[in-house]
Amino acid sequence: MPFELTILGSSSAIPTSERYPTAQVLNVLGRFFLIDCGEGTQIQIRRQKIAFGKIKHIFISHLHGDHFYGLIGLISTFNLLGLKNDIHIYSPSQLKDVIQTQLDFLKGEMQFKVIFHPLNFKKPQLIFEDKKVEVISFPLKHSINCCGFLFREKPKEANIKKECIEQYQIPVAQIRAIKQGADFLTTEGEVVPNTKLTTPPPPPRSYAFCSDTAFYPQVVETIQGVNLLYHEATFTEELRDWAERTYHSTALDAAKTAQMAHAGKLIIGHFSTRYKEVEPFLEEAQTVFSNTEVAIDGKTYSVKK
């Protein structure tokens, strides 16, 4: 089942001819989550041939414009297309007030509701879950309130061996309990251990999004062991003064966070337009964390164990 990240935008405050402001779509087992929504996000969604109707949950990390200015245009498109699924937005509480007037002036009556879920900027919090996926927000360290997001599969049940079902004549009614860890008692009174009856499920996969933030080791506890980590890297070390002044990270900061979290892979983005090339970011990060890539608009990355 898919667990894939598509980069829609990887620039910082100002878009360039090659990079849009921050936006990503994460496909977790057929559930499509939009993470941040910079200007032009809907154009990128269409270019990547992602169906608008699949997006029902939108996560906005903070209220700097390059992370949400595309939101009202996207909602307007949902409306003009006649979509009916309610849209859930997880964001700072002020966002509702910021865009409500725009929502009031959309053409025609919307057939869906826009439901706002305020974020907690003091501690990690479970903000979404269903049978297969959970999403946790966690505070970052930026010039205004800002959250990152951790998307994680829920553990799967073990797989029962078909040959064991036949060998021990296991009733259908007991299969679920065995998949959840129970042993089996035969009609002769023999206890067959669960480990003999099942094979372990694949380990759950996870993705963490660290939006605008200064170097902030406190996030490591929440994202420990994450398979794929996106971390902003607005500057390289030569402009560390600017990074500290604006509460942003360098490529080296991002790499240190990935290393401390024992991440499987690191993607860096949110590059300042001061830089004409991104190779210096990659070179700097790889001195600490070798399995690093730079975010490329339009590219899709698989989340793997």
Side-chain angles (χ1 to χ4, degrees):
M1 293 292 288
F3 198 145
E4 299 175 333
L5 174 73
T6 299
I7 303 293
L8 303 179
S10 59
S11 184
S12 58
I14 303 173
T16 71
S17 58
E18 296 180 349
R19 296 180 182 275
Y20 281 68
T22 302
Q24 306 178 353
V25 168
L26 184 68
N27 176 2
V28 185
L29 309 176
R31 296 151 174 80
F32 286 75
F33 301 111
L34 177 62
I35 309 168
D36 277 349
C37 189
E39 183 180 357
T41 292
Q42 64 172 316
I43 297 173
Q44 291 289 77
I45 291 174
R46 192 174 289 279
R47 280 179 177 165
Q48 301 310 314
K49 296 180 171 54
I50 298 169
F52 287 115
K54 291 183 177 180
I55 298 173
K56 303 172 187 176
H57 299 273
I58 301 174
F59 300 82
I60 303 297
S61 61
H62 65 296
L63 295 186
H64 280 155
D66 56 319
H67 294 260
F68 80 95
Y69 278 168
L71 187 57
I72 191 64
L74 180 62
I75 294 174
S76 176
T77 294
F78 288 164
N79 182 45
L80 293 172
L81 289 174
L83 301 185
K84 298 180 180 180
N85 292 321
D86 291 343
I87 303 300
H88 294 263
I89 300 178
Y90 307 81
S91 68
S93 58
Q94 301 95 321
L95 180 61
K96 181 177 181 180
D97 296 330
V98 170
I99 70 169
Q100 186 59 56
T101 300
Q102 295 172 304
L103 291 174
D104 292 341
F105 278 90
L106 289 183
K107 185 177 180 180
E109 183 177 351
M110 290 196 303
Q111 299 183 64
F112 57 88
K113 296 178 182 178
V114 179
I115 303 168
F116 292 89
H117 304 266
L119 296 175
N120 186 327
F121 297 102
K122 294 183 179 180
K123 61 182 180 180
Q125 184 174 33
L126 179 68
I127 57 176
F128 169 84
E129 69 174 331
D130 61 16
K131 292 181 179 179
K132 295 186 177 181
V133 182
E134 62 182 12
V135 184
I136 296 168
S137 66
F138 53 91
L140 297 170
K141 185 179 180 181
H142 195 38
S143 55
I144 62 173
N145 286 336
C146 186
C147 270
F149 304 106
L150 173 65
F151 299 81
R152 186 165 58 197
E153 287 180 310
K154 289 186 175 180
K156 298 179 175 66
E157 294 179 344
N159 300 300
I160 190 167
K161 298 176 183 177
K162 291 183 179 179
E163 61 270 23
C164 289
I165 296 177
E166 298 175 0
Q167 179 181 352
Y168 297 106
Q169 295 296 299
I170 300 174
V172 173
Q174 295 190 39
I175 288 178
R176 182 67 186 276
I178 292 171
K179 293 177 70 173
Q180 293 177 341
D183 297 330
F184 177 65
L185 181 64
T186 68
T187 53
E188 291 78 21
E190 176 190 359
V191 176
V192 184
N194 184 269
T195 53
K196 187 175 181 178
L197 300 170
T198 62
T199 57
R205 296 165 290 181
S206 57
Y207 168 67
F209 172 80
C210 286
S211 182
D212 296 16
T213 183
F215 181 57
Y216 195 49
Q218 287 88 328
V219 305
V220 169
E221 182 178 355
T222 301
I223 66 172
Q224 187 65 222
V226 70
N227 300 120
L228 180 63
L229 169 63
Y230 172 91
H231 197 290
E232 74 113 298
T234 309
F235 302 101
T236 57
E237 282 293 306
E238 64 180 356
L239 290 179
R240 170 158 290 282
D241 287 348
W242 269 101
E244 292 178 353
R245 192 181 310 170
T246 57
Y247 289 87
H248 281 295
S249 292
T250 66
L252 191 65
D253 291 332
K256 288 180 179 178
T257 302
Q259 182 186 56
M260 295 167 63
H262 298 98
K265 183 175 183 176
L266 170 65
I267 299 174
I268 52 175
H270 199 264
F271 307 117
S272 169
T273 54
R274 292 173 176 83
Y275 298 84
K276 302 304 179 184
E277 304 291 339
V278 296
E279 283 73 14
F281 291 91
L282 183 61
E283 292 171 1
E284 182 174 292
Q286 288 182 335
T287 62
V288 170
F289 195 81
S290 61
N291 196 14
T292 301
E293 289 191 35
V294 294
I296 299 174
D297 288 23
K299 184 171 180 178
T300 296
Y301 304 81
S302 293
V303 180
K304 301 177 181 179
K305 284 302 290 185

